[in-house]
Amino acid sequence: MSAAPPDLVERVRRRLAAEACDPTADHVARALRAEPGVFGPDTVLAVVDQVRRDTAGAGPLDPLLALDGVTDVLVNGPRAVHIDRGRGLEEVPSVRFADDAEVRRLAQRLAALAGRRLDDASPWVDARLPDGTRLHAVLAPIAHPGTTISLRVPARRTFSLDDLVAAGALTPDAAAVLRQVVEARLAFMVSGGTGTGKTTLLSALLAEVDRAERLVVVEDAAELRPEHPHLVALEARPANVEGHGRVALSDLVRQALRMRPDRVVVGEVRGTEVVDLLAALNTGHEGGCGTIHANSAADVPARFEALALSAGLPRAATHAQLAAGLDAVVHLRRDRDGRRRVDHVGVFEPTPEGIVACRPALTFGAETRPGPGHDRWRAVMERGGAS
């Protein structure tokens, strides 16, 4: 079936919108009869297909979202669409938009599905769609070379540590070490850059938690899906178009502490909730964990410091609470071939300057190598009762 002319599709779309009609074959045929010229059944079906794609789901992006292994679908204006299947970005030349107006319509419709506003007065949106897909969009001319749409696909399945070993994301030594971290109830963070698999790994680690323990998970957008029988999930909520109804992560962390948790989990630490998390880790809540963006485990204390300062917590207090509340960092990296893997674990250690450093304890590769923090690591593990 050949593609319908974009200008014809646009005129039909406007007629259907004006009459509040669904894009059925009958309604499209009636709209086409109002257009100059004679159109055969192939044209009618092509227009029906195009209009339906533009009014349901993610339009032309739907087939990409359904591809096996796709984690991200990225639109950079009307002429550049990419996907990520774990091997780095791949361009999809078969998917194109007629113009930026078409990309803009799709972005606005997706935002509306999430109950959010996207227009010239509010030109970007960060929201979760009803199926769990994470949406971020920025309208042109703020975005160049045109309106951008970023879709993060929720995991279609949960992965165990054994699954990650089989996929090459973990060495068997790393899996054994991480199981000890969970068993010893160490407080830890999973760090890494965007798309390195932090959420996937944290979900696998939470599945290792004793079934008798209660997990309370706080997230900006629900992504953690560990296979655990006693999981309570709290999800933040943005303000509505009137600016009311916002529920912040920091609010939910405080609520989580009142729910008799054995472990408090923050899906991603990136704002003022860092203060409440540090407070929780220093008031008897062992085994707390979360994820954080950082280039290496060594950068995690500086990241905590920056977030805490923005929330009004002084530097000295931040480092004091880090030293007392957090035990370890599990860092992931993404190789140039797109493969995600656990690179090293680090341990927190106070320095003579009164701040906390995170020193590499074990680095995983063809062989497991101890680092400068290995002695401290052994002491922390022994304190937790791990062998």
Side-chain angles (χ1 to χ4, degrees):
M1 182 171 58
S2 60
D7 57 338
L8 177 63
V9 173
E10 179 61 23
R11 293 197 300 272
V12 169
R13 185 188 295 111
R14 289 176 180 173
R15 290 184 185 278
L16 294 177
E19 299 174 10
C21 294
D22 294 328
T24 63
D26 287 343
H27 290 152
V28 169
R30 187 175 66 188
L32 285 172
R33 283 197 294 270
E35 294 289 326
V38 178
F39 305 100
D42 286 346
T43 301
V44 174
L45 292 176
V47 174
V48 169
D49 180 66
Q50 183 63 47
V51 173
R52 281 179 173 170
R53 285 170 58 190
D54 289 348
T55 56
L61 304 182
D62 267 335
L64 303 181
L65 293 171
L67 288 175
D68 187 42
V70 165
T71 60
D72 297 88
V73 175
L74 309 173
V75 179
N76 302 332
R79 301 291 181 223
V81 178
H82 295 79
I83 61 174
D84 187 349
R85 287 186 279 195
R87 302 187 295 268
L89 293 179
E90 307 170 45
E91 188 172 4
V92 186
S94 60
V95 178
R96 291 289 185 268
F97 294 84
D99 50 30
D100 193 69
E102 186 178 355
V103 185
R104 182 186 178 103
R105 283 194 301 271
L106 175 58
Q108 290 177 317
R109 183 164 54 76
L110 292 175
L113 284 175
R116 303 294 297 279
R117 170 184 173 184
L118 183 63
D119 53 31
D120 290 335
S122 182
W124 56 75
V125 67
D126 185 14
R128 187 168 65 89
L129 300 179
D131 66 354
T133 300
R134 185 72 176 266
L135 163 71
H136 186 272
V138 184
L139 297 180
I142 292 176
H144 299 277
T147 297
T148 67
I149 301 174
S150 305
L151 297 172
R152 169 64 60 88
V153 183
R156 295 181 176 91
R157 54 165 291 194
T158 57
F159 291 86
S160 67
L161 287 183
D162 290 336
D163 291 332
L164 295 179
V165 170
L170 280 176
T171 66
D173 282 352
V177 167
L178 296 184
R179 284 192 170 98
Q180 289 180 328
V181 167
V182 174
E183 182 182 353
R185 296 183 57 82
L186 301 189
F188 66 93
M189 300 299 296
V190 177
S191 66
T194 300
T196 52
K198 298 185 296 296
T199 300
T200 299
L201 177 62
L202 181 57
S203 185
L205 292 174
L206 293 177
E208 297 287 327
V209 173
D210 191 301
R211 292 319 195 233
E213 294 186 30
R214 174 177 169 90
L215 308 178
V216 182
V217 176
V218 176
E219 293 185 90
D220 188 49
E223 294 180 305
L224 285 170
R225 300 176 180 177
E227 300 233 347
H228 194 280
H230 205 151
L231 173 75
V232 177
L234 304 178
E235 185 176 3
R237 183 178 66 194
N240 59 22
V241 292
E242 289 82 23
H244 303 300
R246 178 174 182 264
V247 178
L249 277 180
S250 55
D251 298 324
L252 295 180
V253 174
R254 288 192 290 271
Q255 298 310 311
L257 299 179
R258 301 184 177 98
M259 298 172 69
R260 195 244 168 245
D262 289 300
R263 300 192 191 223
V264 176
V265 182
V266 178
E268 182 181 343
V269 178
R270 60 177 182 178
T272 58
E273 68 278 355
V274 68
V275 175
D276 300 286
L277 177 62
L278 287 173
L281 297 176
N282 281 277
T283 52
H285 292 85
E286 296 181 337
C289 53
T291 73
I292 191 166
H293 279 76
N295 293 326
S296 69
D299 294 326
V300 169
R303 181 81 172 125
F304 266 92
E305 181 183 321
L307 294 174
L309 281 173
S310 68
L313 190 66
R315 184 187 192 208
T318 300
H319 283 270
Q321 292 199 52
L322 271 177
L326 266 175
D327 298 304
V329 173
V330 181
H331 186 75
L332 294 103
R333 63 174 294 175
R334 189 168 187 168
D335 294 334
R336 292 189 177 183
D337 62 1
R339 186 168 64 94
R340 307 170 177 97
R341 63 182 180 86
V342 174
D343 186 67
H344 61 277
V345 294
V347 63
F348 290 99
E349 192 169 18
T351 68
E353 293 78 19
I355 64 173
V356 170
C358 187
R359 306 195 189 283
L362 293 168
T363 299
F364 305 107
E367 59 181 25
T368 302
R369 302 189 309 273
H374 189 248
D375 289 342
R376 171 85 175 178
W377 173 263
R378 291 179 59 184
V380 169
M381 295 297 283
E382 288 173 2
R383 186 188 70 205
S387 56

